[in-house]
Amino acid sequence: MKHLLKAGVAALALIACVAAAQAETIRIGVLTDIAGPLSDAQGPGSVEAARMAVEDFGGKLLGEKVEVIGADHQNKADIGAAIARDWYDTRNVRMIMDLGSSAVAIAVQNIAKDKNRLSVATGAASSELTNKHCNANAIQWGYDTYQFAKGITGPVVKSGGDKWFFISADYAFGHALENDTRKNVEAMGGKVLGSVRHPINNLDFSSFLMQAKNSGANVIAIASAIADQQNALKQGQEFGIFDDKTKAAAMALLLSDVHSVGLKASQNTTVSSIFYWDADDESRAFSERYAKKMGRPPSETQAMNYSGTLAWLRAAEAAKSVETDKVLAQLRSGPIKAPFIRNGELRADGKLVRDIWLMKVKAPEASKKPWDYLEITGTIAGKDAFRPVSESECKLLKG
């Protein structure tokens, strides 16, 4: 009995030590699409980018070890919410980032508010995250649908594309992207002739494309993401839908999409972007290091995971605390100084406003090296690229 009692006490002591170590380790969670349709632009690369930021920071914060953990939300809000609760409650995760799916992001940022932790969307793009669904514990560090719409609509309408038809994803991201683009088209004097919505992971876009073509539109807007957007663009080219009279507007075209679709099919497409691996010396230096680990340049989301992680670590160090309120106060205390963020400001609604690139997809003959896909044609100031305070529904911006 004495031996059993000693063994039991030892086991309890070991459990207590493990629990203490778990509590002391500061964790950053990357909740992403590991193997699904968003994984190319997010996935394992997002986890690695956050780990690179922790390594560059030195691996410790306020004397404690910092660890990055990752998990797959499978693009399902209930799964993402369950993981977030567990991470916040039992793993000492102070910040969850990436999120990818807008539905997942909405669920997680609501939990972050309840737990007084932080949710940082670097991959989820619905502008409603910082509008209708805004809360004090949520940040949108990456792109958003308002920015996509504002950056692309102007050049397209000004070049004669004034009759639009939407092929949109039937979930939060697609709805927001279509709505934001509609408003911009109509504000510039264009008309929306119709729309159709498709499910996620749709393989056959032929009927949607024919409906769009028969509408008489001279712009077919693809308000979808990653694989769906790629399939719609490829099939539109194959079926002869896109021509001199009917242009495609890929509203959320990312670097990975151009790589998948190819330059021949996507050349001359206008792109609104928060990051491009070959944009400047800072982007090239990071991308070279990242490519040695992952075999390719980082996507927009992956770069923002690196940027957002470093910004949080620096803010926590300056605030001498990992408590959410203190870190957020530090982040909002002045201009955001983080990798790849130009003229950045974190607003009360959680929107990181910054200058963005306006780019064009190169013709095949203009590409001189691997992943040399985009040409920078200009910049759009943050105040012009993102939803202004005057148009926001977010109560955090009122009063």
Side-chain angles (χ1 to χ4, degrees):
M1 286 294 293
K2 288 182 179 179
H3 290 303
L4 288 174
L5 185 59
K6 288 180 179 179
V9 171
L12 289 172
L14 178 61
I15 291 171
C17 288
V18 171
Q22 289 270 351
E24 289 172 357
T25 299
I26 298 168
R27 291 187 175 83
I28 295 168
V30 180
L31 188 53
T32 186
D33 179 359
I34 295 293
L38 306 180
S39 59
D40 192 30
Q42 300 167 17
S46 284
V47 181
E48 181 58 38
R51 286 179 177 152
M52 288 176 66
V54 171
E55 291 170 6
D56 289 351
F57 188 74
K60 286 190 174 184
L61 174 63
L62 305 176
E64 302 295 347
K65 177 184 176 183
V66 181
E67 180 184 9
V68 173
I69 60 176
D72 187 356
H73 55 51
Q74 300 176 44
N75 295 302
K76 296 179 180 178
D78 57 340
I79 293 175
I83 294 170
R85 287 193 186 93
D86 177 61
W87 279 359
Y88 288 141
D89 288 341
T90 70
R91 304 295 301 278
N92 198 31
V93 170
R94 309 302 307 190
M95 171 177 68
I96 295 177
M97 62 194 319
D98 194 313
L99 302 172
S101 161
S102 294
V104 172
I106 292 168
V108 170
Q109 67 183 45
N110 287 336
I111 295 168
K113 182 179 180 181
D114 292 341
K115 306 293 184 182
N116 197 26
R117 297 294 172 94
L118 191 60
S119 166
V120 180
T122 54
S126 172
S127 65
E128 296 300 336
L129 293 173
T130 53
N131 190 42
K132 184 168 62 177
H133 297 291
C134 74
N135 77 55
N137 292 67
I139 293 173
Q140 192 167 36
W141 196 268
Y143 39 56
D144 76 12
T145 53
Y146 190 98
Q147 166 236 316
F148 284 142
K150 195 69 181 288
I152 294 173
T153 305
V156 173
V157 174
K158 288 177 181 177
S159 66
D162 58 351
K163 299 181 183 68
W164 290 57
F165 188 100
F166 287 89
I167 298 176
S168 306
D170 193 12
Y171 52 89
F173 164 78
H175 298 175
L177 184 53
E178 179 181 329
N179 290 337
D180 287 336
T181 308
R182 275 177 177 268
K183 291 176 183 177
N184 278 282
V185 169
E186 291 169 352
M188 295 191 68
K191 295 181 179 179
V192 176
L193 303 184
S195 66
V196 64
R197 289 176 173 169
H198 67 82
I200 191 171
N201 296 334
N202 189 63
L203 297 178
D204 185 2
F205 282 85
S206 58
S207 62
F208 302 137
L209 288 163
M210 288 304 300
Q211 187 174 341
K213 182 75 170 180
N214 292 336
S215 72
N218 54 19
V219 178
I220 299 176
I222 311 299
S224 306
I226 316 294
D228 287 325
Q229 180 174 228
Q230 294 167 13
N231 284 334
L233 289 172
K234 288 177 182 176
Q235 291 173 29
Q237 291 291 334
E238 292 169 2
F239 302 151
I241 301 295
F242 306 133
D243 53 31
D244 291 340
K245 295 182 178 180
T246 309
K247 304 291 185 181
M251 301 308 302
L253 197 71
L254 303 176
L255 182 68
S256 57
D257 299 318
V258 177
H259 183 72
S260 178
V261 174
L263 291 178
K264 184 177 180 181
S266 58
Q267 61 183 308
N268 298 318
T269 302
T270 299
V271 178
S272 161
S273 185
I274 55 174
F275 173 85
Y276 179 51
W277 72 271
D278 200 21
D280 52 30
D281 291 341
E282 181 185 42
S283 300
R284 282 187 286 272
F286 169 69
S287 298
E288 183 178 351
R289 292 171 51 217
Y290 179 92
K292 288 180 180 178
K293 293 175 177 287
M294 302 303 293
R296 48 159 284 182
S299 70
E300 297 84 349
T301 296
Q302 290 153 357
M304 289 304 109
N305 272 287
Y306 177 83
S307 172
T309 300
L310 261 182
W312 183 84
L313 290 166
R314 291 170 180 172
E317 182 179 53
K320 297 181 172 56
S321 174
V322 295
E323 294 303 317
T324 301
D325 295 347
K326 293 179 180 178
V327 175
L328 281 172
Q330 183 64 40
L331 284 169
R332 292 192 174 112
S333 65
I336 293 293
K337 295 182 180 179
F340 326 125
I341 307 300
R342 296 170 299 136
N343 299 318
E345 173 195 0
L346 184 61
R347 293 193 317 209
D349 59 352
K351 182 67 237 174
L352 174 59
V353 178
R354 93 296 288 278
D355 296 351
I356 65 170
W357 299 114
L358 191 61
M359 299 189 284
K360 184 175 70 174
V361 180
K362 292 183 175 183
E365 60 272 17
S367 178
K368 305 302 182 184
K369 55 189 174 183
W371 294 89
D372 178 25
Y373 298 151
L374 303 177
E375 173 189 355
I376 297 173
T377 58
T379 60
I380 303 177
K383 64 181 180 62
D384 298 321
F386 296 94
R387 177 181 281 112
V389 172
S390 61
E391 295 180 15
S392 177
E393 298 177 37
C394 180
K395 294 180 180 179
L396 297 172
L397 294 174
K398 312 300 180 184

